[in-house]
Structure formats: structure tokens, C-alpha cells
Amino acid sequence: MNVAGVQRVTAAFVPLLEKGKEKKVIDVSSTVGSITLAKYLAHLPTPAYKVSKAALHMLNMVWSLDKGFTFLCLSPGTYVASAPYFSDKDCFLQWLKTDLGGQGADLEVPVGVEGVVKIILESGPEQNGKLLNIHIPGMEESTGRYDGKEYPY
């Protein structure tokens, strides 16, 4: 679903999107699919999920190189532990209170949705081919670190 379904929907909608003004395709992803951060996420018991999100990142990147659109992945939740990529924090968690995230998660779904919508509305060609985290004002340095920054694939 994270790859084949996205590929089918994207391929079906690109001809329609080419006729419109906004040429954006935003894939909801997760930093747990980051190959760069894989060794810091090895303890998470979700290998198929991690692999499917890594494949989604590649699919998004392939599309970003070809169509003249803005293609990006965004993460409404992140988990990183002891990653040198993030020098000021050894561990941070963020996720939404969904069926997957559970009630112990940081954010209510409407707050996460607001962060996602903001990225969708404000993104442009400069974000093409990137994996972005949502930004929640006031929570940039929290445990969740909702900083709106780019993450490595």
C-alpha cells in the first residue's frame, strides 16, 4: 500500500494535475523509513513498515526528477534515538494519537493535520524531492521536536 498504491494513484492523477495550477504531490511518510537513520531505528519492531516507507521515499524521489512538479514526503511523526544527525538531542519521539500511534502519542490528530496542511499549502519547488517534518510552533525543541526541518532519506 505504501508503494504500489501510491504509484498507481500518482500515475493516474499526474495527467490531471498537469492541467492545473498547483503542481504538487505530497506523500505522507515517516522518518522510520530513512535509510540514513536505519541503524538508530533498528530496535523498532516494524521492519515491513520501515522498508515500505523507504521505498516510498525512493518512489517520491524518482517522480521528483521527472515531471516538473513539486514532489515531497512529509512526516507527521518522527522517532530517532541517539542519531548523530541530531546533535542537540539523543532521543526524541513524535507521533500522532491514531490507531497506530495510540493514546500515549504526543499530538492530537487535528494538530498533526494542521502541520501537514501548512506544508502542503506553503511548499514549492525548493522542497522538491525532500522529506520534511511538520512544524508545530512552540514545540521545536520539545521531546517531539516538531521543527519543520528536512530529514535525510
Side-chain angles (χ1 to χ4, degrees):
M1 183 55 126
N2 282 328
V3 183
V6 172
Q7 169 60 23
R8 288 185 189 122
V9 169
T10 302
F13 276 86
V14 162
L16 299 171
L17 292 170
E18 286 174 333
K19 297 175 183 178
K21 291 188 323 184
E22 293 280 338
K23 299 198 179 340
K24 297 180 187 179
V25 176
I26 294 23
D27 293 323
V28 177
S29 191
S30 172
T31 55
V32 301
S34 170
I35 293 171
T36 303
L37 300 175
K39 65 183 173 183
Y40 307 104
L41 303 168
H43 64 286
L44 295 177
T46 56
Y49 180 76
K50 291 186 272 188
V51 169
S52 73
K53 290 301 186 176
L56 175 61
H57 298 166
M58 177 57 89
L59 178 63
N60 187 277
M61 180 59 72
V62 168
W63 278 102
S64 78
L65 299 172
D66 187 38
K67 287 290 179 190
F69 280 45
T70 297
F71 281 87
L72 65 95
C73 288
L74 63 85
S75 176
T78 297
Y79 178 92
V80 176
S82 301
Y85 182 77
F86 306 100
S87 59
D88 62 333
K89 301 245 189 243
D90 287 336
C91 177
F92 61 94
L93 301 159
Q94 60 177 201
W95 68 104
L96 303 177
K97 292 181 181 181
T98 62
D99 290 343
L100 178 63
Q103 290 305 303
D106 289 344
L107 299 177
E108 297 291 336
V109 171
V111 176
V113 168
E114 185 178 323
V116 168
V117 169
K118 185 175 190 316
I119 290 173
I120 291 169
L121 295 175
E122 295 178 359
S123 63
E126 62 278 1
Q127 282 86 26
N128 189 44
K130 294 183 178 181
L131 169 60
L132 302 175
N133 185 22
I134 62 172
H135 178 232
I136 305 298
M139 295 188 74
E140 297 86 354
E141 296 300 322
S142 69
T143 303
R145 193 168 169 166
Y146 300 91
D147 57 13
K149 294 184 179 175
E150 180 180 359
Y151 282 70
Y153 280 132

